[in-house]
């Protein structure tokens, strides 16, 4: 056993004689040894009994951990390793420089010079038992026990089955305790720290009691240590005299005990401790025959425990991946939706063109037909594509996007269809394509007209057959993917000029959606501008009072050749400029938005009075507005922000 004494620190003189194989040390309440010194971490270190020695493990503390052994100092860090074995007389140092705590270590023997009745090495624990052949009842009990253990699903069921089976196979057993080694992977610790994995009693059953024992039964340390250190099964008859009068034996009043290892390869997973604690009858001691039959049970129980732990880790990993996937999908969905906790992409617009688009969108979302989204650059085609997905019954699956103009042909083919290992130089492993990744969901192909002709034929096959063949593969794979394509070009013209396959054109243009440019829905500009203003104000932590009337009129009067993307960039720049709580004023707008960029150069007014030069500029603006709208005075007046009568009045004043 180990004894810890504080020889330096706030709790000078305090001692701890732990009964557990794991001793947690730190500042936080709940540790086995609470060290309140401020430079000690909340969970600073732990001491683990690893079967044959005590190991000190640093829990990545802030100020460090070390072992003082005579004149030697062993620092526990990444360079030297975060764990080290302890010896009697060592001093544990917590902290650094002059702010340290010292813990003196005393390791006492448990008088465990075991004189045992029988020992069998793991190599001898083969799944055969000669005693069973002579006893039909025991053979039947062993068969039932193996079935019970094999049918258990999770770790807790396996352990209960092992305890119950032990009582059936060992008639004189009164108590069964199972001790398991800490599972490093399960506990989330890094690999390579198995030496610091202690053994913990996880379940005790008492014969005749339905529920587990309410109080923990102390394990027989001397027998347990012999099982682990010698990798053998041990049975001790009349344990108090045969094994030695150790504290654990005397405290438990054990007459005889049996320790059987659970193992996987070279690793001892745990120990099954079977005890006889009854004073009568005198012949009720455990024998080598009990050891032999328990060895048969332990052989299958070891495999069941290892598998149950593996399944537990896999389930934990699956749950973790599901949570991560849900988080990433939610974050991506929120990003496409414009933030603020939106559950689906937010298409902003109250104009008639947008109402028509949304009406068409609702008709197609829950069908399987291919959707082709047409529109100029920056109108929000990807936003509409995401809306098709997140409003449909596929919204719980993946939405994957690929810009067909962003990659050369060879890379694009691999990205879309995947490849097999060794199919080309650099293909070091199998790779799934986006069609497989998006199986059950939606694949968005942006700028589909940029796809090379050779790939267009493969895309056509996917649309016709629902199958993809990775590069280098010999078999097709079935996929259920909805295709949403987008282009800013005239597809009919591309087909006529031979740059796009006609058969693919008809496959893609099943249900076209045209996204109108911003200049065709100027009444939506205030809504979109306010949306981006609030979004970037929250993002930058810079609240704004809004737009002045003149600034909004200028925003509505501009043609926005870059459409919504250009408007978004403009608002982002305005939020950076505006004072906290202030209004966006016309002078903050970009020159091109104020429509004065290069205007003086184009008008070239002759020198004169201010009124004469302003009249020349105004006359030029009127002519430009009429020319732009093919002499449609109503449209020109609307663009200029004046009434038709006001336009006629100005035209008469300039003799136009």
């Amino acid at each position: 056993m180990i004894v810890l004494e504080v020889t330096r620190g706030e709790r000078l003189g305090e001692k701890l004689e732990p009964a557990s194989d794991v001793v947690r040390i730190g500042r936080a309440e709940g540790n086995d040894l609470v060290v309140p010194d401020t430079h000690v971490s909340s969970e600073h270190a732990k001491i683990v009994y690893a079967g044959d020695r005590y190991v000190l493990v640093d829990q990545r503390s802030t100020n460090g951990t070390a072992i003082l052994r005579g004149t030697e100092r062993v620092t526990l860090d990444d360079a030297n390793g975060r764990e080290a074995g302890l010896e009697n007389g060592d001093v544990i140092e917590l902290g650094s420089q002059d702010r340290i705590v010292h813990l003196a270590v005393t390791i006492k023997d448990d008088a465990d010079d075991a004189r045992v009745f029988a020992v069998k090495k793991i190599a001898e624990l083969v799944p055969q038992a000669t005693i069973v052949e002579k006893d039909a009842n025991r053979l039947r009990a062993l068969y039932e026990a193996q079935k019970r253990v094999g049918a258990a699903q999770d770790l807790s069921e396996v352990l209960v089955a092992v305890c119950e089976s032990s009582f059936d196979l060992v008639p004189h057993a009164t108590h069964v305790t199972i001790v398991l080694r800490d599972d490093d992977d399960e506990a989330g610790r890094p690999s390579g720290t198995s030496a610091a994995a202690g053994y913990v009693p996880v379940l005790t059953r008492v014969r005749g009691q339905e529920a587990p024992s309410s109080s923990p039964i102390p394990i027989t340390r001397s027998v347990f240590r012999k099982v682990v250190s010698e990798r053998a099964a041990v049975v001790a008859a009349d344990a108090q005299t045969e094994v030695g009068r150790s504290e654990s034996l005397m405290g438990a009043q054990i007459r005889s005990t049996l320790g059987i290892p659970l193992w996987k390869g070279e690793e001892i997973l745990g120990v099954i401790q079977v005890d006889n604690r009854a004073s009568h009858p005198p012949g009720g001691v455990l024998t080598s025959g009990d050891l032999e039959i328990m060895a048969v049970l332990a052989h299958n129980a070891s495999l069941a425990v290892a598998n149950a732990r593996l399944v537990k880790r896999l389930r934990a990993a699956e749950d973790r991946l599901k949570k991560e996937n849900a988080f990433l999908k939610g974050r991506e969905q929120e990003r496409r939706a414009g933030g603020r906790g939106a559950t689906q992409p937010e298409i902003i617009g109250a104009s008639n063109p947008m109402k028509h688009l949304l009406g068409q969108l609702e008709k197609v979302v829950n069908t399987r037909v291919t959707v082709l989204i047409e529109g100029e650059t920056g109108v929000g085609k990807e936003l509409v594509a995401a809306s098709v997905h997140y409003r449909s019954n596929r919204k719980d699956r993946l939405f994957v996007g690929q810009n067909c103009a962003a990659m050369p042909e060879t890379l694009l083919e691999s990205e879309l269809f995947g490849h097999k290992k060794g199919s080309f130089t650099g293909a070091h492993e199998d790779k799934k394509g986006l069609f497989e990744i998006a199986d059950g969901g939606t694949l968005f192909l942006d700028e589909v007209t940029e796809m090379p002709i050779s790939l267009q034929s493969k895309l056509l096959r996917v649309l016709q057959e629902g199958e993809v063949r990775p590069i280098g593969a010999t078999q097709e794979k079935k996929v259920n993917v909805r295709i949403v394509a987008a282009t800013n070009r005239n597809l009919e013209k591309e087909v006529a000029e031979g740059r796009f396959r006609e058969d693919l054109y008809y496959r893609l243009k099943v249900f076209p959606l045209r996204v109108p440019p911003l200049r065709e829905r100027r009444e939506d500009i205030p809504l979109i501008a306010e949306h981006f203003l609030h979004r970037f104000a929250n993002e930058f932590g810079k609240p704004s009072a809004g737009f002045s009337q003149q600034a909004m009129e200028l925003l509505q009067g501009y043609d926005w050749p870059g459409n919504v993307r250009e408007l978004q960039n403009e608002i982002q720049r305005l939020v950076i400029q505006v004072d906290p709580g202030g209004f966006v004023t016309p002078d903050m707008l970009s020159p091109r938005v104020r429509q004065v960029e290069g205007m003086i150069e184009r008008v070239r007014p002759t020198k004169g009075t201010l009124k004469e030069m302003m009249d020349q500029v105004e006359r030029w603006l009127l002519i430009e507005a009429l020319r732009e709208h093919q002499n449609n005075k109503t449209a020109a007046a609307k663009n200029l922000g004046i009434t038709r009568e006001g336009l006629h009045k100005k035209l008469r004043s300039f003799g136009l």
Side-chain angles (χ1 to χ4, degrees), residues 588-607:
M588 298 179 185
L589 300 175
S590 302
R592 65 180 183 277
V593 177
R594 296 199 306 268
Q595 299 183 1
V596 297
E597 190 174 39
M599 182 182 295
I600 301 300
E601 290 297 321
R602 295 197 300 273
V603 178
R604 293 184 182 277
T606 57
K607 289 187 177 182

Side-chain angles (χ1 to χ4, degrees), residues 55-295:
V55 178
L56 175 65
V57 183
D58 178 72
Q59 300 280 72
R60 298 197 171 274
S61 59
T62 304
N63 294 312
T65 306
I67 298 174
L68 307 181
R69 185 172 297 152
T71 58
E72 183 185 359
R73 187 176 190 275
V74 180
T75 303
L76 277 58
D77 54 20
D78 290 330
N80 300 317
R82 292 276 176 181
E83 60 184 53
L86 287 171
E87 297 179 5
N88 185 41
D90 285 349
V91 174
I92 300 172
E93 182 178 272
L94 311 177
S96 60
Q97 298 178 0
D98 60 334
R99 306 175 65 194
I100 55 177
V101 171
H102 281 170
L103 306 176
V105 176
T106 303
I107 299 177
K108 300 178 181 179
D109 289 335
D110 276 340
D112 49 3
D113 295 329
R115 298 189 301 275
V116 299
F117 182 75
V119 175
K120 274 199 174 185
K121 297 287 188 180
I122 284 181
E124 302 172 12
L125 299 180
V126 293
Q128 298 176 0
T130 56
I131 191 171
V132 177
E133 298 173 1
K134 304 174 184 178
D135 190 336
N137 291 331
R138 242 179 176 184
L139 178 60
R140 191 178 301 108
L142 180 61
Y143 172 71
E144 293 297 330
Q146 302 288 36
K147 281 205 314 180
R148 187 186 299 134
V149 173
Q153 297 293 319
D154 57 28
L155 184 59
S156 60
E157 291 181 7
V158 169
L159 300 181
V160 170
V162 170
C163 288
E164 292 175 350
S165 300
S166 299
F167 287 128
D168 293 341
L169 297 176
V170 183
H172 297 304
T174 60
H175 297 72
V176 177
T177 300
I178 298 180
V179 183
L180 290 183
R181 190 186 189 113
D182 278 345
D183 192 330
D184 292 338
D185 294 331
E186 187 176 282
R189 289 187 290 274
S191 59
T193 60
S194 58
Y199 291 90
V200 180
V202 293
L203 181 65
T204 294
R205 281 294 177 100
V206 180
R207 185 184 289 275
Q209 292 185 8
E210 293 278 337
S213 176
S214 57
S215 59
I217 304 297
I219 61 173
T220 312
R221 178 65 59 81
S222 51
V223 173
F224 166 75
R225 183 175 295 179
K226 194 170 186 68
V227 171
V228 174
S229 61
E230 296 192 16
R231 297 172 49 77
V234 176
V235 60
D238 195 14
Q240 294 189 27
T241 57
E242 292 295 328
V243 180
R245 301 176 67 85
S246 67
E247 286 189 26
S248 56
L249 282 172
M250 295 300 295
Q253 296 180 345
I254 299 172
R255 286 180 48 78
S256 60
T257 190
L258 175 65
I260 298 290
L262 298 169
W263 72 94
K264 178 184 178 184
E266 295 299 314
E267 181 186 2
I268 301 295
L269 302 176
V271 176
I272 306 173
Q273 176 180 304
V274 180
D275 299 325
N276 175 267
R277 300 168 189 261
S279 56
H280 296 287
V285 295
L286 306 181
T287 67
S288 59
D290 296 324
L291 180 146
E292 193 172 356
I293 197 168
M294 282 298 298

Side-chain angles (χ1 to χ4, degrees), residues 349-363:
S351 60
N352 288 331
M354 290 306 295
K355 288 179 180 178
H356 175 73
L357 172 64
L358 292 172
Q360 293 293 97
L361 191 66
E362 290 300 328
K363 293 177 182 178

